[in-house]
Amino acid sequence: MKYGFGVDLGGTSVKIAYFNEEGTLLDKWEIPTDVRQDGVNILPDIARSLQEYVDQKQLTRESLLGIGIGVPGPVDDEGVVNCCENLGWGVFNVHDALGELTGLPVKAGNDANVAALGECWKGSGKGSKNMMMVTLGTGVGGGLVADGKIVAGAHGAAGEFGHLVLNREETEPCGCGKKGCAEQYCSATGVARLAQKRLERDAEPSVLRTLERVTARDVFDSGKAGDKVAVQVLEQYFAYLGEFLADVCCVFDPEKVILGGGVCKAGQFLLDGMMPHYLKNVFHASRGVKFAIASLGNDAGTYGAFKLALDAFG
Ligand code: ZN
């Protein structure tokens, strides 16, 4: 039996997990991400943490097939990252850099794509070969898996669904600089923003008005409890989300779409609300696309990262 590591590199912490080749997660831990000095310490910190684990468990070099790593930015198949702004990284080859530090083969992917691969392999996408994951968190990200493999794109930027334009009338800019991106409506931040706009429109009573700062969770909780204003906000949100998902399904027509990120804590309620809008907007041949909520939570990234290494070196 061979073993390996899956590393999920985020802007505040690095999740590391140790797997056997069957994909059983045997151990996991986290270290902080040191973004000082343009992130120069990040890979050495990871290498040191892995080495400590190898020493502590007395693992042999022969038993280890390699390391997979998800990074928060565009990365191509050769391992060249192209500016991970959260980390301060410019352009360099992660395979070479982490490989040199650890003496192990390394395979890197974009974090959202890698999480999609993890869900496809061991999570809600298990059993499907063509799937898409859409993450509805602070922003909107995503990943595509075709024939069991990540679609990275020619520039490492495939699956950046969040910047499809949904509303040409928008006056406020998205983080990317454009106006009216899906991310401005479909993210958790988007739900809160829609609520804020609704509350400003008139003085209709709502429990949302009693809160200092309205979050996506507040909107979902109050909506489920029947608050009229929250219900209206959710109806607007579901309409945006359904149309957005219909658009992305036109490009890829997957077997399954896995929804992840904070908004998905709303579970089946979210799927039920979104579905009529999806069906209204989607191209007829993609009506059969199945939707599910991600099931691996914060571990999706390490599962997917290890799967990358397993496919490359196993
Ligand atoms: Zn945008």
Side-chain angles (χ1 to χ4, degrees), residues 158-186:
E160 290 288 350
F161 313 119
H163 303 289
L164 286 172
V165 172
L166 274 187
N167 177 10
R168 301 194 70 86
E169 314 294 315
E170 179 64 55
T171 52
E172 290 171 23
C174 171
C176 76
K178 294 196 300 175
K179 287 173 184 162
C181 290
E183 181 163 297
Q184 289 179 277
Y185 312 94
C186 298

Side-chain angles (χ1 to χ4, degrees), residues 31-311:
I31 60 170
T33 307
D34 181 358
V35 295
R36 293 172 305 168
Q37 298 170 273
D38 293 333
V40 71
N41 296 318
I42 294 173
L43 293 181
D45 286 350
I46 293 171
R48 192 174 320 113
S49 183
L50 291 173
Q51 189 59 50
E52 280 168 14
Y53 187 80
V54 166
D55 292 345
Q56 184 201 335
K57 299 283 171 182
Q58 300 183 312
L59 309 177
T60 63
R61 173 67 188 81
E62 297 69 47
S63 71
L64 297 171
L65 59 88
I67 303 164
I69 181 169
V71 301
V75 50
D76 71 14
D77 282 336
E78 307 307 316
V80 177
V81 297
N82 184 358
C83 298
C84 299
E85 280 169 21
N86 294 341
L87 307 179
W89 283 2
V91 179
F92 71 100
N93 190 306
V94 179
H95 293 174
D96 294 348
L98 188 59
E100 224 162 85
L101 289 164
T102 58
L104 288 167
V106 176
K107 185 74 185 166
N110 166 269
D111 57 354
N113 292 340
V114 163
L117 184 64
E119 283 289 342
C120 187
W121 187 36
K122 293 289 180 182
S124 299
K126 210 170 165 179
S128 54
K129 290 182 91 178
N130 296 297
M131 57 140 307
M132 185 165 88
M133 181 159 166
V134 179
T135 309
L136 309 169
T138 312
V140 172
L144 298 170
V145 177
D147 259 337
K149 305 264 179 242
I150 285 175
V151 181
H155 312 94
E160 290 288 350
F161 313 119
H163 303 289
L164 286 172
V165 172
L166 274 187
N167 177 10
R168 301 194 70 86
E169 314 294 315
E170 179 64 55
T171 52
E172 290 171 23
C174 171
C176 76
K178 294 196 300 175
K179 287 173 184 162
C181 290
E183 181 163 297
Q184 289 179 277
Y185 312 94
C186 298
S187 60
T189 326
V191 181
R193 192 169 153 270
L194 290 173
Q196 206 51 53
K197 296 231 174 267
R198 173 63 192 85
L199 291 173
E200 283 164 12
R201 211 174 67 205
D202 57 32
E204 187 163 347
S206 165
V207 289
L208 297 177
R209 291 193 193 279
T210 64
L211 306 169
E212 204 171 303
R213 190 180 139 265
V214 176
T215 65
R217 193 198 178 116
D218 298 327
V219 179
F220 276 94
D221 287 350
S222 328
K224 281 181 186 170
D227 183 272
K228 220 174 118 197
V229 169
V231 168
Q232 288 168 5
V233 174
L234 286 177
E235 198 44 44
Q236 201 188 2
Y237 176 73
F238 291 143
Y240 274 122
L241 184 62
E243 185 179 351
F244 165 60
L245 292 171
D247 285 351
V248 291
C249 284
C250 284
V251 180
F252 189 53
D253 184 34
E255 291 167 54
K256 206 175 220 181
V257 177
I258 311 287
L259 299 178
V263 173
C264 295
K265 295 204 176 84
Q268 192 62 38
F269 179 75
L270 175 77
L271 298 181
D272 292 345
M274 170 283 292
M275 207 58 195
H277 300 282
Y278 170 78
L279 290 172
K280 196 175 106 193
N281 287 287
V282 77
F283 182 66
H284 67 87
S286 297
R287 290 179 70 85
V289 171
K290 294 191 172 56
F291 289 85
I293 302 289
S295 63
L296 296 178
N298 287 334
D299 293 329
T302 51
Y303 271 98
F306 173 68
K307 180 69 161 75
L308 271 186
L310 182 66
D311 287 346

